[in-house]
């Protein structure tokens, strides 16, 4: 049994992942170009090839079992992860039954909302997530070819910072942002009420993929609304929501991030007429505007969007900083770690560092000059807690706080916004790999430039489908010399550590 498990392990680890990625990307690029050219028949033929492709199947299983953030989240079957034998078996199942895939039920997890209510996160099994990932590989390039340029949520190569920059370009001094208003649009229960018909009618896919997606939608329905809803927690759900909502940006100058939207109003614009058009658009998709949460706001009064508070100052300057709600959440996270009695100061500092660094990286293009946003008070509170410990002097506490609250270089609106309708599937690898480099700072950025924006391990240029990891060549994580650092794919990082023997050799 052990020998058989080892053989599966060796089979999985010996896969030529670089070649597999190239095979998949080649097909995806052809789909993108076919849809752009209006040749949907060719696009569907290529989509069938991806569904049958061993490369795509292996990559889909690897994505959901190794790379995704929620990779250890169990579905209704209770399985949190798969061993190597089960992964190979799942690849075979995708190959044999991918065209007639039937979804299992979904595990429901209640998630608290800001208003005190809860929303249900519906989590598929690992096998269903792998099938959804495979379908995402086929659908995404086709729809990326036609998606609107001002849609930034859950799209490869785009993100919240692009939306932030677009708002800045529309409300800055040069655009007379001080004279404008905004509609903070809130769609009522978007993921729960979105019409299945509106998704299926717009889906560019072969018939058997459409049937599979339809079964996927039906697996997560609410008994009250059998023809509505896409389960939150599925791999393909955000893409399906984007497919249904695409085109709402054409109604009026606006920016959309998934179901969050801001519409820009000039002084003479009639907000009522614009909202009527939006209501009609949403009604066709089984959705409606939340009258309670949708607001028309003066830019000088400020509004919250994606965790930022944005407003135009009386001088006409556009100002952006972390919102009060976002700041409260980071304080709560820090407090939970600092006040925990489960571990000591050194472990606390280690746990705090990624939390603080992630928060600061998200807000690095904002105005972070306020003492509140510099996290001065949580830092001091952590220092006091660290000093309580035995054998902890003031110098050690200060050094631990430096590790727990790492600095991140900030620059107001320094983000380079994605150009027009560009997509990673357009084949412009130089543009996307260089753009990837601009999203990182300090050591990672330097390593990427030194490596000519390509992975040190596999040699492939960085696309937007995988995060960049910084590998310490000598294994010493305290050695931050540039020669000791290599910027590599997340999956390549895993492969490097797989190849290293664990423990000392016998004898």
């Amino acid at each position: 049994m052990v020998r058989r498990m080892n053989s599966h392990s060796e089979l999985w680890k010996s896969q030529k992942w670089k070649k597999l990625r190239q095979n998949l990307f080649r097909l995806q690029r052809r789909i993108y170009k076919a849809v752009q050219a209006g040749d949907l028949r060719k696009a569907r033929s290529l989509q069938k090839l991806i569904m049958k492709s061993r490369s795509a199947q292996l990559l889909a299983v690897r994505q959901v079992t190794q790379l995704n953030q929620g990779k250890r989240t169990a579905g209704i079957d209770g399985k949190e992860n798969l061993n190597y034998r089960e992964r190979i078996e799942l690849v075979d199942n995708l190959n044999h039954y991918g065209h007639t895939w039937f979804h299992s039920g979904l595990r429901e997890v209640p998630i608290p909302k800001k208003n005190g209510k809860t929303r249900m996160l519906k989590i598929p099994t690992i096998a269903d997530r792998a099938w959804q990932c495979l379908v995402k590989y086929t659908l995404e390039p086709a729809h990326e070819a036609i998606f609107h340029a001002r849609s930034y949520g859950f799209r490869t190569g785009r993100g919240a910072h692009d939306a932030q920059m677009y708002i800045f370009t529309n409300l800055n001094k040069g655009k007379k942002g001080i004279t404008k208003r905004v509609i903070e649009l809130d769609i009522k229960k978007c993921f729960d009420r979105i019409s299945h018909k509106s998704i299926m009618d717009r889906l560019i896919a072969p018939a058997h993929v459409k049937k599979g997606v339809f079964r996927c939608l039906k697996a997560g329905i609410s008994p009250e609304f059998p023809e509505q809803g896409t389960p939150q927690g599925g791999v393909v759900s955000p893409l399906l929501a984007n497919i249904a909502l695409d085109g709402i940006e054409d109604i009026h100058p606006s920016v959309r991030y998934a179901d969050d939207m801001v519409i820009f109003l000039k002084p003479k614009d009639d907000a009522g007429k614009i909202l009527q058009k939006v209501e009609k658009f949403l009604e066709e998709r089984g959705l409606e505007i939340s009258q309670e949460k949708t607001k028309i706001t003066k830019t000088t009064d400020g509004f919250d969007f994606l965790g930022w508070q944005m407003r135009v100052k009386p001088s006409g300057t556009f100002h952006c900083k972390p919102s009060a709600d976002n700041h409260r959440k980071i304080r709560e996270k820090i407090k939970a770690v600092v006040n925990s009695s489960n571990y000591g100061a050194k472990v606390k500092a280690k746990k705090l560092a990624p939390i603080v660094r992630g928060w600061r990286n998200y807000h690095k293009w904002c105005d972070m000059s306020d003492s509140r946003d510099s996290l001065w008070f949580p830092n001091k509170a952590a220092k006091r807690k660290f000093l309580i410990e035995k054998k902890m002097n003031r110098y050690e506490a200060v050094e631990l706080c430096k590790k727990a609250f790492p600095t991140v270089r900030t620059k107001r609106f320094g983000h380079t916004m994605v150009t027009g309708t560009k997509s990673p599937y357009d084949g412009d690898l130089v543009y996307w790999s260089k753009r990837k480099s601009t999203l990182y700072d300090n050591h990672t950025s330097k390593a990427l430039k030194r490596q000519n924006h390509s992975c040190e391990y596999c040699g492939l240029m960085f696309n937007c489908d995988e995060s960049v990891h910084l590998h310490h060549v000598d294994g010493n994580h305290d050695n931050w010399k540039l020669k000791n650092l290599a910027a590599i794919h997340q999956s390549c990082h895993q492969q490097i550590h797989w190849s290293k023997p664990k423990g000392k050799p016998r004898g």
Side-chain angles (χ1 to χ4, degrees), residues 209-394:
V209 173
K210 281 191 172 185
K211 284 180 184 176
V213 170
F214 189 70
R215 293 190 199 108
C216 168
L217 292 171
K218 291 297 179 186
I221 59 166
S222 167
E224 300 172 50
F225 303 96
E227 301 297 325
Q228 291 175 287
T230 176
Q232 292 187 60
V235 175
V236 79
S237 294
L239 175 60
L240 297 179
N242 270 335
I243 289 169
L245 291 173
D246 186 56
I248 195 172
E249 304 88 355
D250 288 321
I251 293 171
H252 200 76
S254 57
V255 60
R256 181 173 68 84
Y257 189 94
D259 58 336
D260 291 324
M261 192 169 179
V262 170
I263 301 171
F264 308 110
L265 300 175
K266 291 180 180 178
K268 292 182 180 179
D269 287 335
D270 189 335
K273 286 183 179 178
I274 292 165
L275 283 172
Q276 281 178 4
K277 290 179 183 178
V278 171
E279 281 176 349
K280 187 181 177 183
F281 179 94
L282 293 176
E283 192 180 341
E284 292 170 2
R285 289 151 179 80
L287 299 168
E288 59 180 315
I289 293 172
S290 172
Q291 301 296 339
E292 300 168 6
K293 296 179 183 177
T294 298
K295 296 180 285 186
I296 300 170
T297 313
K298 290 181 180 178
T299 54
T300 49
D301 293 337
F303 59 96
D304 287 359
F305 186 64
L306 302 179
W308 295 302
Q309 187 199 45
M310 301 174 173
R311 72 182 183 93
V312 178
K313 292 182 176 181
S315 61
T317 309
F318 182 75
H319 184 256
C320 179
K321 66 177 183 178
S323 67
D325 188 56
N326 186 277
H327 200 273
R328 178 183 56 78
K329 285 178 182 176
I330 188 65
R331 286 202 314 271
E332 286 174 357
K333 284 183 181 179
I334 293 169
K335 193 176 179 180
V337 175
V338 169
N339 292 343
S340 175
S341 57
N342 294 334
Y343 23 76
K346 289 182 180 178
V347 178
K348 286 177 182 178
K350 198 173 181 180
K351 286 182 175 291
L352 280 173
I355 295 171
V356 174
R357 188 184 293 111
W359 186 81
R360 283 180 167 167
N361 270 321
Y362 185 74
H363 297 294
K364 66 182 176 182
W365 309 121
C366 298
D367 180 3
M368 300 291 280
S369 57
D370 195 335
S371 62
R372 184 199 74 160
D373 299 325
S374 67
L375 301 179
W376 188 88
F377 291 103
N379 192 322
K380 292 300 171 187
K383 183 184 170 184
R384 283 196 298 271
K385 278 284 183 182
F386 293 167
L387 281 169
I388 293 171
E389 288 199 11
K390 292 180 180 179
K391 298 180 181 178
M392 178 70 67
N393 59 42
R394 191 174 292 276

Side-chain angles (χ1 to χ4, degrees), residues 118-130:
T118 57
R119 65 179 174 90
M120 280 297 175
L121 195 66
K122 298 180 180 181
I123 302 166
T125 61
I126 293 175
D128 288 341
R129 295 205 295 269

Side-chain angles (χ1 to χ4, degrees), residues 467-496:
S467 59
V468 178
H469 278 211
L470 205 57
H471 174 61
H472 293 74
V473 178
D474 65 357
N476 179 11
H477 285 251
D478 292 324
N479 182 2
W480 288 88
K481 290 181 180 177
L482 193 58
K483 288 181 180 178
N484 187 48
L485 302 175
I488 55 178
H489 290 103
Q490 180 187 352
S491 53
C492 293
H493 205 184
Q494 289 178 345
Q495 277 186 279
I496 288 170

Side-chain angles (χ1 to χ4, degrees), residues 50-61:
I50 287 184
M51 290 298 292
K52 294 175 185 175
S53 165
R54 185 77 173 180
S55 298
Q57 291 159 2
L58 281 161
L59 288 167
V61 173

Side-chain angles (χ1 to χ4, degrees), residues 73 159 195 202 303 384 400 481:
T73 309
S195 164
R202 292 166 178 80
F303 59 96
R384 283 196 298 271
L400 277 179
K481 290 181 180 177

Side-chain angles (χ1 to χ4, degrees), residues 132-147:
Q132 287 185 28
C133 187
L134 183 60
V135 167
K136 186 171 178 272
Y137 289 156
T138 70
L139 296 179
E140 196 168 54
H143 288 277
E144 278 292 333
I146 56 174
F147 274 161

